[in-house]
Structure formats: C-alpha cells, structure tokens
Amino acid sequence: MALSMPLLGLAAFGLFCTDMGAAYSLQQQSTLLLLGIAIYFWTLSPLPVAASSLLLIGLMLLFGIVEEPEEAFRGFLTNALYFILVLSLISAALVKAGVDGVFAHIIIKFSRGGIRAILLGLPLLILFMPVLLPSAVARFRILEPIIEQVNGRFGFGQQSLFRKYCMYVIGMLNQNSTMIVFTGGGFPILAAQLLKDFGGIEISWLGWFLRIAPPLWLAMLLVNFGVWCYFKWSSAPLVVVHLKIPEMEDGALPPRFWWIMLPFGIMIVSWIVLDHQQVPLVLAPLLLVGYYAMPTNSLITNKTVRNYDWETFLLLGSSFSLGYIIEENGTAFVLAEQLMGFLPDGLGDFGNMVYIACFIFVLRFLFVVPSTSMIIIFPIIMNYADILELSVMSSAFLVIMIIGGVTILPIHSPTTFLAFQKNAFSLREQLIVGGYSSFVITAIAIIWALFVWQ
C-alpha cells in the first residue's frame, strides 16, 4: 500500500487535474479508470481474487468500454490460459507419479558429498528443473522439506547460512529460472502469447531458449555469487554440529516411471522440432493429459481438476481481456505518446532502452503477480517501441526479463513469498538480496536488448 497508493494517486492527478487527460477519449478515460481499479484489486486484494476478476468483467460492460458482452470475455479464449491449465495438471500428475521423489533422491545424494556438494548442486538443479517440472510453486514444495531435513541433519540452526542460501535458491532463483523455457511456468507462457498478440512474433521453443537462457544464466551466476558472499558475510560460519547422513534408499524408480516420463519427453521434443504454425503448441499437452488420465495411469482425476487454482484462471482471463482492450481502443498508444514527452532528445538507443527499463521497473511495483503486470505493461511498451522505431524483439524480451526478474518485495512472486514465510532471512535481507538480483538482471537485459536481441 505504501508504494502503490502514492503512484496511483500521482497518476490520477496527472490525468484528471492537468491537460494530460484531454488527450484521451471518453472511452479511453473509462479504460484508464478501470485499469486503476484493477491495479487496486490486484495489489491490495480488498476482495477475493475470483470475485474481483468477475467484477472487472462487469465493470467493462457498465462503463461501456466494450460494445458486446462477448468482447469482455475475450481473454478467456486465449490459448495461453488453457496451456497453463494443462501444464498445471501435468505437473500435478508428475508429482503424483513420484517424480518429486527422484528429485529428493538427488538432493539426498548430494548431501552425502557434504555441504559444498549441495551448495553447488542445488542451483544447477534449479536451472534445469523448469524443463521437467513447469510449476515453480511445485518445485518449491518439493525441495523445501528436503532442505529443512538436510539442515537438521547437519545440526544447523534456523538462521544458518546454509538454510538462508538454500531458501534464496528455491525462492528467488527458482522464480528467475522459470523463464528459461516458455513452457516452464505460467509467466513465460503468457509472455510468449503476448509476444505473438502484440508483437506479431511467434517464437519457437528452441528460439526462446537460445535468446533468453544465455543472459539469464549469466545474470543468475553473478547474482548467485553475490548473494552467497553477502549471506556469508552477514551470517555465522557454518559449523557442523553432527553429521547423520540420511539413509540412502535402494534408488528404485517409482512404478511405471518410464511409462510416465517417456510421453512427457516426447512432448518436449515435439515443442522443439515441430512447426508451431502447423501444429499448435497446446496440442501435445492436451493429448498427454488424456494419457495420464487413462485408467492404467489414473494420475489425473476429477479431484485433480477441482484442485486447480481456478481463482488464478479467472484473474488471468479478466486481465487478458483488459490488456486487449487497452491495446485495441488506443489507450496504450496514447499512454506511449505521453511517455515520449518525458524523454529528453538525443538519448539514442541506449538512453531509450534505459528509460524503458526504468519505466517497466516502476510499473512493476503496482502489481503483486508477475503475470498480471506483464499483460498490462506489455502492450504499452510495444506501442512505445513502435513510436521510437526500436526492435520489437529487443523491447519484448526487455519487458519479460525485467518483470520476471524483479523479486525485491516478498509479494513479487509466489515462491519468493513462500521462502520469506519460512523466516530464513529478515525483511532487510530480502530487500537487499531482491534489490541486487533485480538490478543485475535488469542491467544484463539492457545490454542484451542493445546488442543481441535485434
């Protein structure tokens, strides 16, 4: 509230108490009013998520922003929404099949090599887990009890350097790593859909990976080293009180493990090699859901579907509708033109990219959920890039990396909030670590936008 309300108040004053508001039509002013209401709901949560999402649909009709009721529900027709749904069901199926036990076995095996093996192996595991397990929250839920168990095995306390660092890895680093593949979670899936809708670019699975993995891995390497040094400086040295190595299981894989993982691997290969314009990306996971639901597998049932986070489904659908409206009625274009008025002349591409990055960074604080901030900010930046004749690809990935990389506040991502709730580090440490990681990722994103993403 301390950050959001002053920014919303300043925006309202600028639009309705100055000449800036005169540039907008009545429909565009209503759209801006609805956007302010949406930000208020999404940030301060005065209403349940599902109720506020449905209320926004009603306000679109009440304010006359859409001509037909069907236009208000357009966001629920996007492929990305159902792509996230089926990948979430697949993640639940993999956990039910015992894939989480395989990851647990790997971590326990690392612990037999001592503390250093875990500290080096855990970040590497996090880097590649999004490929096999799309949900960042599921990855956190799998790894958190294992870390707590190993922390106790070595006799460390609740504020130990080991626990702080590992909670950072599965909280903040886990959130950043989800962007490496656009099938690695809800946020990158939405980003790929927005790139297609507003940038006119349909990118392949491999094309996404080759563009974003190198800068993201470089940023995560720098951030990881800096965070380790900071925690090592601010925490007591690691002293092993007792070392009781967990008993190793026989290493047997869960029943039907390969019958579960082989179709999953085929799905990933299909994303890499098939033409997405000929074969829809969502086709393979839809078929895989049917395979996992077969009686011989019984990994997806009616209960699995009922347990899905339908509140987030409604939130994303309504925010998609709002994002499309902002773009189509010209509100995003007028906002982008007004942003030009704050831009000094003669900055060049570097200055323009830095200005865009700062603007994205500020707007990110108005939103709790990365996905909703992406849906609203993306069309504005695309119009801004078009006016300045900047590369659409560069501007798009700049938005994606900055929004996905900001973890300053605990509420900036679900896994960051979950890690902070474990009381492994203080709010001051969260702000320092989150601020440092966000700055590094933003700086590298600007460099890549200028020299690589062209």
Side-chain angles (χ1 to χ4, degrees):
M1 184 180 295
L3 292 170
S4 301
M5 294 308 293
L7 288 174
L8 286 173
L10 181 62
F13 176 82
L15 288 172
F16 300 108
C17 299
T18 67
D19 294 335
M20 294 176 61
Y24 298 89
S25 66
L26 180 60
Q27 185 187 43
Q28 291 169 345
Q29 289 179 355
S30 299
T31 303
L32 287 175
L33 175 61
L34 182 61
L35 176 60
I37 295 173
I39 293 174
Y40 174 72
F41 285 156
W42 293 335
T43 306
L44 303 179
S45 301
L47 295 177
V49 172
S52 62
S53 302
L54 295 173
L55 177 60
L56 288 175
I57 299 293
L59 291 177
M60 292 178 193
L61 301 174
L62 180 64
F63 292 169
I65 296 175
V66 295
E67 296 181 359
E68 299 293 336
E70 290 78 8
E71 297 178 31
F73 294 94
R74 180 184 170 187
F76 292 93
L77 301 178
T78 181
N79 288 341
L81 203 58
Y82 299 93
F83 198 177
I84 295 170
L85 168 61
V86 294
L87 281 189
S88 298
L89 296 178
I90 290 172
S91 290
L94 292 177
V95 172
K96 189 174 181 180
V99 176
D100 56 337
V102 176
F103 288 118
H105 187 80
I106 293 173
I107 296 296
I108 296 298
K109 196 170 183 178
F110 277 142
S111 71
R112 296 180 64 85
I115 301 171
R116 184 171 297 180
I118 301 176
L119 296 177
L120 291 176
L122 185 60
L124 294 177
L125 185 64
I126 284 291
L127 289 181
F128 294 98
M129 279 185 75
V131 178
L132 299 175
L133 196 61
S135 172
V137 174
R139 297 193 296 268
F140 181 90
R141 297 294 190 192
I142 290 170
L143 295 175
E144 183 266 332
I146 303 171
I147 289 170
E148 296 286 16
Q149 179 189 16
V150 174
N151 187 70
R153 298 280 186 177
F154 285 112
F156 299 143
Q158 292 296 297
Q159 299 299 317
S160 68
L161 169 60
F162 175 85
R163 186 169 182 265
K164 283 185 179 182
Y165 176 74
C166 290
M167 285 297 174
Y168 150 75
V169 170
I170 67 172
M172 286 182 252
L173 199 69
N174 181 23
Q175 174 63 33
N176 299 147
S177 70
T178 199
M179 294 186 288
I180 292 172
V181 289
F182 70 71
T183 54
F187 172 75
I189 293 171
L190 290 175
Q193 180 71 43
L194 293 172
L195 183 61
K196 177 182 177 181
D197 292 341
F198 299 114
I201 299 174
E202 185 165 1
I203 192 168
S204 66
W205 192 95
L206 187 60
W208 176 285
F209 177 82
L210 293 176
R211 282 177 174 85
I212 206 166
L216 193 58
W217 279 345
L218 175 61
M220 292 169 72
L221 176 65
L222 296 175
V223 171
N224 210 45
F225 177 76
V227 170
W228 167 255
C229 292
Y230 170 70
F231 280 146
K232 188 176 181 180
W233 169 77
S234 61
S235 305
L238 287 175
V239 178
V240 178
V241 178
H242 56 79
L243 178 56
K244 183 181 178 182
I245 299 294
E247 294 294 330
M248 292 293 292
E249 299 175 359
D250 58 6
L253 294 174
R256 294 182 56 82
F257 177 81
W258 292 114
W259 288 103
I260 299 302
M261 292 305 299
L262 182 60
F264 182 83
I266 294 173
M267 179 184 69
I268 295 176
V269 172
S270 73
W271 287 337
I272 298 173
V273 302
L274 295 180
D275 184 357
H276 297 166
Q277 294 182 346
Q278 301 295 326
V279 181
L281 195 69
V282 73
L283 175 60
L286 284 173
L287 297 177
L288 187 60
V289 166
Y291 173 74
Y292 284 164
M294 291 174 62
T296 54
N297 297 318
S298 299
L299 296 177
I300 296 178
T301 62
N302 288 335
K303 183 179 180 181
T304 310
V305 178
R306 285 195 296 268
N307 289 338
Y308 176 68
D309 185 6
W310 291 104
E311 291 82 1
T312 298
F313 182 88
L314 292 173
L315 171 66
L316 293 177
S318 62
S319 57
F320 255 121
S321 294
L322 182 56
Y324 289 137
I325 290 171
I326 290 173
E327 169 66 19
E328 292 180 352
N329 67 14
T331 305
F333 181 77
V334 179
L335 272 172
E337 281 190 323
Q338 290 187 335
L339 288 175
M340 293 283 292
F342 297 100
L343 185 64
D345 296 330
L347 288 181
D349 288 347
F350 175 77
N352 291 334
M353 284 295 180
V354 172
Y355 179 77
I356 291 177
C358 294
F359 177 71
I360 298 168
F361 203 87
V362 171
L363 282 186
R364 178 66 181 87
F365 279 89
L366 290 176
F367 300 89
V368 175
V369 182
S371 301
T372 52
S373 64
M374 169 66 71
I375 294 171
I376 301 303
I377 296 173
F378 201 90
I380 299 173
I381 299 302
M382 288 299 97
N383 279 276
Y384 186 81
D386 183 60
I387 295 172
L388 291 177
E389 298 182 351
L390 298 174
S391 166
V392 172
M393 188 73 75
S394 297
S395 304
F397 275 100
L398 184 69
V399 177
I400 293 166
M401 271 198 70
I402 292 176
I403 292 180
V406 170
T407 53
I408 297 175
L409 300 177
I411 58 173
H412 274 155
S413 79
T415 56
T416 302
F417 181 69
L418 290 173
F420 182 76
Q421 278 191 316
K422 299 300 176 181
N423 297 319
F425 32 75
S426 64
L427 179 59
R428 178 176 178 270
E429 290 172 328
Q430 164 69 48
L431 295 175
I432 291 174
V433 170
Y436 168 69
S437 63
S438 302
F439 172 79
V440 171
I441 292 175
T442 300
I444 290 180
I446 293 173
I447 295 172
W448 246 255
L450 286 171
F451 300 108
V452 182
W453 294 327
Q454 298 297 329

